[in-house]
Amino acid sequence: MTVSPDPPTVPGGVSSTAFDGSRVRVLLMLDVHDGAQQQFLDAYERMRHRVAAVPGHLSDQLCQSLENPTQWLLTSEWESAPPFLAWVNSEEHIDMVEPLADCVRDTRSLRYTILRETGGTDTAPAPGSVALQSAPRTGDNVVRHALTFTVTPGSESKVAEILSGYASPQPVVNDTTRLLRTSLFLHGNRVVRAVEVRGDLQDALRHVSRQPEVRAVEQAIDPYLEQERDLTDPKSARVFFTRAALPAVHHTASGRPEGTDVRRCALFLPAVPGRGEELARLLSRQDEAVATHADGPVQAATVFHRDDIVVRLVDVNGDPEDAPGPVLALPDAASAAEAGRLLDAAALGLDGPPTDERALRRLLAHARMQPLTDRRAPAS
C-alpha cells in the first residue's frame, strides 16, 4: 500500500474526495426487534467471515448497548473509501446482509475517514502503510448523492414528461435536515437524480419518499422501469436503492461568488469495463486545477461513480460549449489522452478518443444529459 498525499485544497473553496487514500471507519447503528437478539447474533456469525474476505475490509466489531439490549453497533474499518463504496452498493452486499433484515427494525449508517488515532505509544506508521492526512478536507455542510436507473427503450419521452412536471416536496425534514436541491437528467434510457442535503442524507431520503407528490411520480414511472420494484415492500425498496445508488466520490467548488449566468449540466461518461474508478480518479484530479483557475468557467463540480458508470455534474459560468475542456475536466492534451484510454467511446456513439478541440466538443455533445428538472428549495 502506498503512502497517499494530503487531500488537495481549494483556497477559499471546497474540496472533498473519496480518493485521498484515508482509511475509513463505518458505524452501523441497528435497532433489533424485541426478542430477536439471539437470531440477530446468529445471522451475524454466519456472515462475518464472508464480509472479512471482501477486498479492502480490515476489521469489524459487533457491540451491544449496555442500557438497551435491542440497540447494537457494528463498526468496520476499510483500507480506503473506494472498496467500501463498491461493496456496499453491490449485489453481493444485498445477498450478504439479507439474513439480518428480518431481525432489524431500523438502521443508520455513518461513514468517516480516519484523520487521527492514538495508541498506547506514539509511533511512526509502519513502512508501506497509508499515512494519516495532515489536513482535513474542506466542506460546505452539504451532502451530495445520486440515484440512477434505466427505463425501457421507447419510454424515454413519457418518463421525461413525468419527471419534469411533479410538484416540489416539502424541503424541511426536521430541525437539523433540509433538502436543498434536486436535479434530474436523462441520457438515452438512463435517469440520474442528484440531491443536495444539509444535515442527514438518510433522513432526507426517507422524508422525500413519504411525500405524496413524490410517491405519485414514483408510481407513475414504475411501469417503464427496466428492473421491477415495489417501493411499498421494504425488501424491494432496499434492493432498488442499493442498485440505484450513485455515490458522490469527489466535489470541488471554486469559492468564487456565483454569477448570474451559472448553468448546471450533467455528463454521462461510461468507462470501458473495469476502468470506472480510474476514470473517476482522473476527473477528480483534474477538477482541482479546473475549479481553481481564476478566470475559469467551472464554478463547482461533483463526480459520481459506481462500477463503470461515471457522471460529472458541473455548474458552469456561461455556455458549456464555449469551454469543453474545462467542463469535461480534460483541460489539456495529456488528460484527454488518458481519458481516451478509459472512456467507452462506442457507448457514447463516438468513433474515437478526444484527441483535439473538435473531438472534445463532440464528446461534450454526446455525453451531455438532457435536463429534466433543477429545483432549489427557497432560501437555500
Side-chain angles (χ1 to χ4, degrees), residues 170-231:
Q170 168 58 244
V172 177
V173 178
N174 53 41
D175 290 343
T176 59
T177 299
R178 179 182 178 89
L179 184 66
L180 301 180
R181 190 170 184 175
T182 302
S183 306
L184 280 102
F185 299 88
L186 183 68
H187 189 281
N189 69 330
R190 178 170 296 279
V191 176
V192 171
R193 174 189 285 131
V195 296
E196 297 178 6
V197 173
R198 176 163 292 126
D200 187 275
L201 175 64
Q202 295 176 67
D203 282 350
L205 294 179
R206 290 191 186 101
H207 165 80
V208 169
S209 68
R210 292 193 294 263
Q211 301 302 300
E213 56 272 28
V214 174
R215 293 173 71 92
V217 168
E218 298 293 354
Q219 291 173 1
I221 67 171
D222 276 346
Y224 306 108
L225 298 182
E226 285 200 311
Q227 290 190 322
E228 293 184 3
R229 68 180 185 184
D230 178 4
L231 296 184

Side-chain angles (χ1 to χ4, degrees), residues 5-310:
D6 291 338
T9 58
V10 181
V14 173
S15 178
S16 182
T17 185
F19 297 130
D20 62 9
S22 298
R23 282 179 288 135
V24 171
R25 175 76 67 185
V26 181
L27 291 82
L28 182 63
M29 295 180 286
L30 307 109
D31 187 6
V32 176
H33 287 298
D34 300 344
Q37 283 76 31
Q38 187 60 48
Q39 178 187 354
F40 173 76
L41 182 58
D42 291 344
Y44 171 77
E45 287 290 344
R46 290 192 296 270
M47 67 170 279
R48 67 189 182 101
H49 294 294
R50 293 178 64 193
V51 177
V54 174
H57 177 274
L58 298 178
S59 65
D60 62 60
Q61 290 182 320
L62 180 65
C63 312
Q64 187 177 19
S65 170
L66 281 172
E67 293 83 10
N68 183 350
T70 69
Q71 294 179 354
W72 296 65
L73 174 67
L74 177 58
T75 71
S76 61
E77 187 171 324
W78 297 76
E79 64 182 26
S80 63
F84 167 72
L85 292 173
W87 175 71
V88 79
N89 295 308
S90 68
E91 297 287 336
E92 182 184 14
H93 175 261
I94 294 173
D95 175 65
M96 220 179 275
V97 304
E98 182 58 33
L100 300 179
D102 293 337
C103 312
V104 176
R105 184 165 35 227
D106 192 23
T107 63
R108 181 177 297 274
S109 177
L110 302 173
R111 300 140 184 207
Y112 298 88
T113 56
I114 298 174
L115 198 67
R116 294 289 182 271
E117 59 183 356
T118 304
T121 58
D122 189 10
T123 58
S129 65
V130 174
L132 297 174
Q133 308 298 339
S134 65
R137 297 184 302 279
T138 305
D140 56 357
N141 195 27
V142 176
V143 181
R144 295 169 175 86
H145 188 66
L147 299 172
T148 185
F149 52 87
T150 56
V151 297
T152 54
S155 69
E156 295 90 348
S157 60
K158 181 61 178 178
V159 170
E161 179 185 348
I162 295 170
L163 293 177
S164 300
Y166 73 96
S168 299
Q170 168 58 244
V172 177
V173 178
N174 53 41
D175 290 343
T176 59
T177 299
R178 179 182 178 89
L179 184 66
L180 301 180
R181 190 170 184 175
T182 302
S183 306
L184 280 102
F185 299 88
L186 183 68
H187 189 281
N189 69 330
R190 178 170 296 279
V191 176
V192 171
R193 174 189 285 131
V195 296
E196 297 178 6
V197 173
R198 176 163 292 126
D200 187 275
L201 175 64
Q202 295 176 67
D203 282 350
L205 294 179
R206 290 191 186 101
H207 165 80
V208 169
S209 68
R210 292 193 294 263
Q211 301 302 300
E213 56 272 28
V214 174
R215 293 173 71 92
V217 168
E218 298 293 354
Q219 291 173 1
I221 67 171
D222 276 346
Y224 306 108
L225 298 182
E226 285 200 311
Q227 290 190 322
E228 293 184 3
R229 68 180 185 184
D230 178 4
L231 296 184
T232 64
D233 173 40
K235 178 180 178 180
S236 178
R238 184 167 59 252
V239 169
F240 169 75
F241 284 113
T242 299
R243 288 173 173 165
L246 189 62
V249 294
H250 186 87
H251 176 74
T252 303
S254 68
R256 300 187 299 268
E258 188 171 303
T260 58
D261 190 24
V262 174
R263 311 179 191 187
R264 169 160 286 192
C265 67
L267 307 173
F268 175 61
L269 300 165
V272 297
R275 310 298 291 274
E277 184 181 324
E278 291 179 73
L279 179 58
R281 285 179 180 271
L282 168 65
L283 300 181
S284 300
R285 289 197 308 270
Q286 297 302 318
D287 259 338
E288 300 300 334
V290 168
T292 56
H293 194 286
D295 300 319
V298 175
Q299 183 76 24
T302 306
V303 177
F304 300 91
H305 164 245
R306 71 169 292 157
D307 302 329
D308 298 322
I309 300 172
V310 178

Side-chain angles (χ1 to χ4, degrees), residues 348-368:
L348 288 173
L350 297 170
D351 54 9
T355 54
D356 53 29
E357 183 78 7
R358 181 180 179 185
L360 283 173
R361 291 185 185 279
R362 292 188 69 237
L363 172 58
L364 177 64
H366 283 250
R368 196 167 176 181

